[in-house]
Amino acid sequence: VWEEVSVRYRGDVARLGFDLINEPAPPRSWSEDRRRKEWWDFASVITRRIRQVDPLRTVVFEPINGASVREFRRLESLP
């Protein structure tokens, strides 16, 4: 879906960015480390696909746990 959205809005400067998933919440049954890693890996794949179509598009990547403030300091940059 994100590839289709990227094609549709490629070069459209009126759109500031794409928010991949609002307040992502991987399964609570997973460990915190797994939850972070799985979400980062998934978001990385999506971001690469978006940037193949629209390399300058801003991508919003929220941390797990409801985008809590404490999680923002643990974020790593996406590719």
Side-chain angles (χ1 to χ4, degrees):
V1 173
W2 279 111
E3 289 168 308
E4 293 173 23
V5 172
S6 298
V7 168
R8 166 69 177 89
Y9 294 104
R10 176 178 34 219
D12 183 348
V13 295
R15 308 294 187 270
L16 296 176
F18 299 154
D19 186 358
L20 300 180
I21 295 179
N22 183 44
E23 298 184 3
R28 295 251 178 224
S29 59
W30 295 354
S31 70
E32 285 293 310
D33 288 340
R34 180 179 178 194
R35 295 175 80 226
R36 278 189 201 91
K37 181 181 181 335
E38 294 283 344
W39 169 229
W40 190 91
D41 290 349
F42 180 70
S44 294
V45 168
I46 296 170
T47 300
R48 282 188 195 99
R49 289 181 180 167
I50 290 170
R51 291 190 175 146
Q52 284 175 345
V53 174
D54 193 354
L56 300 178
R57 178 63 57 194
T58 298
V59 175
V60 177
F61 172 67
E62 297 179 30
I64 62 168
N65 296 329
S68 70
V69 174
R70 72 178 178 86
E71 289 294 330
F72 274 94
R73 64 189 149 124
R74 295 184 175 136
L75 283 179
E76 296 178 34
S77 296
L78 293 172

